[in-house]
Amino acid sequence: INCRQFGDIRLDSHPADFYPETTGNRLWINLSASKLLVVADRSAKAVLRSWPVSVETSTGSNRAIAVDETNRRIFITTWRPARLAVLSADSGVRVDDRQTVNDPESISYDGANRRIYITGNDSFIDVVMQVSPDKYEPLTRVQTAPASRTSLFLPALARFCVAVPKSAGRNAELQVFVVDRS
């Protein structure tokens, strides 16, 4: 593999997660400690703007990010309290906000089914339905193994994978769930 650094985008704090736009040059960067969402231009390697994302009572930080490019929505999870925030990708305005799994670690958006999948520290997958670009409702909560926080949605395979850490009496494993098509 031939790797070389392409460039830098200077940030004020640690990037917890990021999402590159597939149809343009924007890069959304979740700055956890600053409780900000940064919008950067990948070509110019520059920050364009930033928006606050924490909820008023938040003592924690924002963590995971997913994007619905079609409807121009950004999904961000926060810790303490555990929330899912939905923001406009154009203005940063919060269009929805709701409770989610404890200590959310990973989030994925399933555009074909209009679903958001969130995993955290309380052994569940929260599945949230996108009713409209501005309205989201809980669909179901699926049990996973203890401390299964890290996950990945594979749209081409219609599979949702959850990493299970090794614990007393249990080996590490990868749980794979079939995603029903709507």
Side-chain angles (χ1 to χ4, degrees):
I1 296 175
N2 182 11
C3 289
R4 64 179 176 83
Q5 188 167 342
F6 175 71
D8 293 327
I9 298 173
R10 301 288 179 200
L11 303 168
D12 293 333
S13 66
H14 171 72
D17 202 3
F18 57 91
Y19 184 94
E21 186 176 43
T22 60
T23 58
N25 285 321
R26 288 189 299 182
L27 177 66
W28 290 282
I29 307 166
N30 197 357
L31 299 184
S32 181
S34 301
K35 300 179 184 179
L36 293 173
L37 175 69
V38 167
V39 184
D41 184 305
R42 292 188 320 237
S43 296
K45 298 175 194 68
V47 171
L48 302 174
R49 60 192 161 279
S50 61
W51 300 312
V53 294
S54 64
V55 290
E56 288 179 13
T57 59
S58 178
T59 59
S61 58
N62 35 313
R63 174 66 185 114
I65 184 172
V67 176
D68 170 5
E69 289 187 48
T70 302
N71 291 304
R72 318 228 9 100
R73 295 294 177 258
I74 300 169
F75 311 112
I76 294 180
T77 58
T78 63
W79 290 351
R80 293 182 291 294
R83 307 290 294 178
L84 165 65
V86 181
L87 302 147
S88 163
D90 298 314
S91 66
V93 170
R94 187 180 303 245
V95 297
D96 200 312
D97 184 305
R98 63 192 49 261
Q99 186 174 358
T100 191
V101 294
N102 187 40
D103 291 334
E105 178 74 20
S106 297
I107 184 171
S108 298
Y109 177 66
D110 174 358
N113 291 307
R114 299 181 344 267
R115 295 180 191 148
I116 302 164
Y117 308 110
I118 306 167
T119 52
N121 201 32
D122 57 1
S123 309
F124 290 100
I125 304 165
D126 258 358
V127 183
V128 177
M129 184 70 180
Q130 181 182 48
V131 177
S132 74
D134 294 339
K135 185 175 180 183
Y136 298 79
E137 294 180 355
L139 185 62
T140 190
R141 184 169 267 196
V142 179
Q143 180 80 49
T144 62
S148 302
R149 300 167 57 112
T150 305
S151 61
L152 178 67
F153 174 58
L154 304 169
L157 302 175
R159 300 292 185 266
F160 187 75
C161 305
V162 178
V164 178
K166 184 176 182 173
S167 62
R170 185 179 188 122
N171 290 327
E173 66 184 29
L174 187 64
Q175 292 181 333
V176 181
F177 297 86
V178 175
V179 174
D180 295 331
R181 301 285 182 185
S182 300

